[in-house]
Amino acid sequence: MGKKMNIFYRALIIFLLLINFCNAKELRVTVPDMPVFKGNPFTGLGSPTIYTWSALFDALTWVDKEGSVKPSLATKWKNIDPNTWRFHLRSNVIFHNKEPFNSKAVLTTINWLKSEPGKITTTGKDIDAIIESAKIISPHIIEIRTYNPDAILPANISEMHIPAPNSWKELGAEKFALSPSGTGPFKIINWTENGVKMNVFSDSWRPSKNIKYLTIFEVPERIGRVQALLSNQTDIAIGLAYDDIEIIEDAGYKTMLEPAPLVSALQFVSIRPNEPFSDKRVRIAANLAVNRNLIAQTILKNIAIPANQPAANHSYGFNPQIKNYPFDPHRAKILLDEAGYPNGFKGRMEVAIEATVPAALETQIQVASDLRKIGIKLDVIPIQFASWLRKWYGGPLSKSVDFPEMFSLNIVLGPQLDVGRIFRTHSCEKKINGN
């Protein structure tokens, strides 16, 4: 990857939630943290934001866990020439504020995501790199033109939620986030101090049949979410640890384990010249120093597996021919010596506190311990995800951002399960407009 920030991968994480269905009319969901930007659906893709946004919004398509693209607000699509796709939109759909869903809503969304404020968002980075333009053919037919032939555009746009266009224009992104309007089965009643309350949107094209009220609330501490479940204060607890399974199941509750579309990783800042990680030999040494198998067996209880590429094995682009890095600290020390660091070096490793990834902090601490044994002495500094996100948007070359030598990063492959996405979004030398 040259001078881009290189990554060494530690585990394919399994998504863990625990369920207690006691309330027929109200569903209560406990999450580690709420979306940083509340109801702005373009500012994140992973857990826990997806639980809030999937209740409020829809995209044109969605991708199931096997990677198949399914209709959502678009009912069918066709590749009419190498760079152009035609989408037929669902009719008789309205937003929470009664605006009609149509081609105008899709065009408004695309145009904003390609604007200066839009293209810096998580979704905007993807859309601006792929889509050149969009054109309304009829109220329920729209054509989307890409910079280059894109065989999986229907999957790629599954991350593009569609907000009510007039409300988005009138309020702007910040105010819209406080009073969002989508086409999903639930609409906002109010944001609370630690979450959000919603009620069913009976005019939704996919209405909730049994649940009338949805409450999503934040409990940052894992033990707090366990206790909320056991004391019947919540029906679903998101982001628990493997050690919680026995306690919960002994209490009569159900545990669900699903493969998560992500690779949990640590990322080197390698584009700053004259720093240790700008040397490929140092980056290889760091990879050789980490005992991934031991981490998977002990900390992650053999539920997660070591990863050797930025891809889950059920995602597009996964290469089964790539071999794992061996655990070889002796070779790692030789490489550090060759690179001019016979005594190692010091630095920082910032770890985002993301409780939706089980044992994340414990794993990163073990990685730092392995690195210290070859002389790479990194102070592990936990930071809140909101602070991490602001740094990520600033970038490691920003003079206003104090970037560490290494930081944690979850490579989210969902919703499209496409490995190509990370090269548009996770590199410090990200290219735009397909170039």
Side-chain angles (χ1 to χ4, degrees):
M1 295 175 66
K3 299 290 279 189
K4 300 176 182 177
M5 290 200 293
N6 288 291
I7 304 168
F8 70 88
Y9 307 95
R10 62 171 174 82
L12 170 63
I13 299 299
I14 304 297
F15 170 69
L16 172 63
L17 61 84
L18 300 173
I19 302 178
N20 166 31
F21 286 120
C22 293
N23 299 299
K25 297 300 182 183
E26 180 184 9
L27 181 65
R28 302 161 301 170
V29 181
T30 309
V31 295
D33 52 78
M34 293 295 294
V36 176
F37 299 99
K38 295 189 181 295
N40 182 338
F42 306 131
T43 53
L45 296 176
S47 175
T49 58
I50 56 174
Y51 307 114
T52 301
W53 295 339
S54 62
L56 295 169
F57 299 100
D58 295 297
L60 297 187
T61 61
W62 68 281
V63 180
D64 67 17
K65 62 182 180 181
E66 283 79 33
S68 298
V69 183
K70 303 294 185 181
S72 186
L73 289 177
T75 57
K76 60 181 181 179
W77 45 87
K78 183 179 181 181
N79 194 194
I80 61 175
D81 69 46
N83 288 38
T84 306
W85 286 81
R86 178 172 292 173
F87 289 85
H88 294 253
L89 307 181
R90 196 176 296 274
S91 59
N92 300 316
V93 175
I94 61 172
F95 292 93
H96 300 154
N97 66 352
K98 306 302 182 181
E99 286 185 55
F101 165 74
N102 50 31
S103 298
K104 173 189 171 184
V106 180
L107 181 63
T108 298
T109 300
I110 292 173
N111 285 345
W112 187 85
L113 289 171
K114 290 183 64 61
S115 69
E116 289 304 316
K119 66 177 63 175
I120 66 172
T121 65
T122 303
T123 303
K125 288 177 181 179
D126 281 344
I127 295 303
D128 185 54
I130 297 170
I131 296 177
E132 181 179 9
S133 61
K135 180 174 67 173
I136 294 175
I137 303 302
S138 74
H140 290 93
I141 299 176
I142 189 166
E143 286 184 358
I144 298 178
R145 183 167 181 81
T146 58
Y147 289 101
N148 301 297
D150 188 347
I152 60 170
L153 180 69
N156 282 331
I157 61 172
S158 64
E159 69 175 273
M160 186 179 72
H161 294 100
I162 309 296
N166 293 338
S167 180
W168 182 267
K169 282 186 173 181
E170 292 169 5
L171 296 176
E174 187 173 344
K175 290 184 178 179
F176 179 92
L178 299 177
S179 183
S181 181
T183 56
F186 291 92
K187 58 183 179 180
I188 293 285
I189 297 176
N190 63 281
W191 297 96
T192 64
E193 184 178 348
N194 68 334
V196 64
K197 291 184 178 293
M198 309 182 206
N199 62 353
V200 69
F201 178 46
S202 57
D203 291 328
S204 173
W205 68 274
R206 54 177 185 106
S208 170
K209 296 180 180 179
N210 299 317
I211 305 301
K212 301 301 181 184
Y213 296 95
L214 174 63
T215 299
I216 303 176
F217 62 101
E218 174 183 315
V219 178
E221 296 298 326
R222 175 172 57 85
I223 188 63
R225 295 193 297 279
V226 173
Q227 291 302 320
L229 190 76
L230 295 177
S231 61
N232 195 29
Q233 296 178 51
T234 189
D235 304 302
I236 298 179
I238 303 292
L240 303 182
Y242 307 112
D243 292 340
D244 299 320
I245 294 177
E246 184 176 355
I247 299 172
I248 296 294
E249 291 186 343
D250 285 348
Y253 298 107
K254 182 179 180 182
T255 303
M256 293 179 63
L257 291 171
E258 290 285 343
L262 64 83
V263 175
S264 187
L266 284 163
Q267 191 150 339
F268 312 123
V269 177
S270 62
I271 62 173
R272 296 191 299 222
N274 303 318
E275 293 195 7
F277 285 125
S278 66
D279 192 310
K280 181 179 179 180
R281 292 167 295 185
V282 176
R283 300 194 296 270
I284 294 175
N287 273 282
L288 294 173
V290 177
N291 192 339
R292 294 169 179 77
N293 287 328
L294 184 63
I295 290 173
Q297 292 165 10
T298 58
I299 298 177
L300 302 174
K301 310 300 183 184
N302 281 323
I303 297 178
I305 61 174
N308 56 21
Q309 57 190 290
N313 57 12
H314 60 299
S315 58
Y316 295 114
F318 176 79
N319 185 352
Q321 304 301 317
I322 296 177
K323 297 181 180 180
N324 289 344
Y325 275 102
F327 174 53
D328 192 347
H330 175 70
R331 174 62 179 158
K333 289 182 179 180
I334 292 174
L335 287 170
L336 281 183
D337 191 22
E338 292 177 355
Y341 301 96
N343 299 316
F345 56 89
K346 296 180 179 180
R348 292 173 299 148
M349 175 198 296
E350 289 190 349
V351 178
I353 302 174
E354 297 183 77
T356 49
V357 179
L361 182 57
E362 295 91 332
T363 301
Q364 311 292 24
I365 290 173
Q366 182 58 49
V367 169
S369 176
D370 285 349
L371 293 176
R372 184 171 290 271
K373 292 173 183 176
I374 67 166
I376 300 178
K377 307 174 187 68
L378 300 177
D379 293 329
V380 179
I381 304 172
I383 63 172
Q384 294 296 323
F385 178 71
S387 299
W388 179 96
L389 192 63
R390 294 187 186 96
K391 283 195 174 188
W392 175 247
Y393 280 136
L397 295 182
S398 171
K399 295 181 180 179
S400 62
V401 177
D402 180 25
F403 243 85
E405 286 74 17
M406 183 182 289
F407 60 93
S408 63
L409 176 72
N410 282 334
I411 300 172
V412 180
L413 298 161
Q416 56 269 71
L417 293 179
D418 172 30
V419 177
R421 177 183 177 272
I422 72 155
F423 296 102
R424 297 191 297 269
T425 59
H426 287 65
S427 166
C428 287
E429 295 180 343
K430 293 181 284 289
K431 306 298 183 182
I432 61 172
N433 298 342
N435 298 316

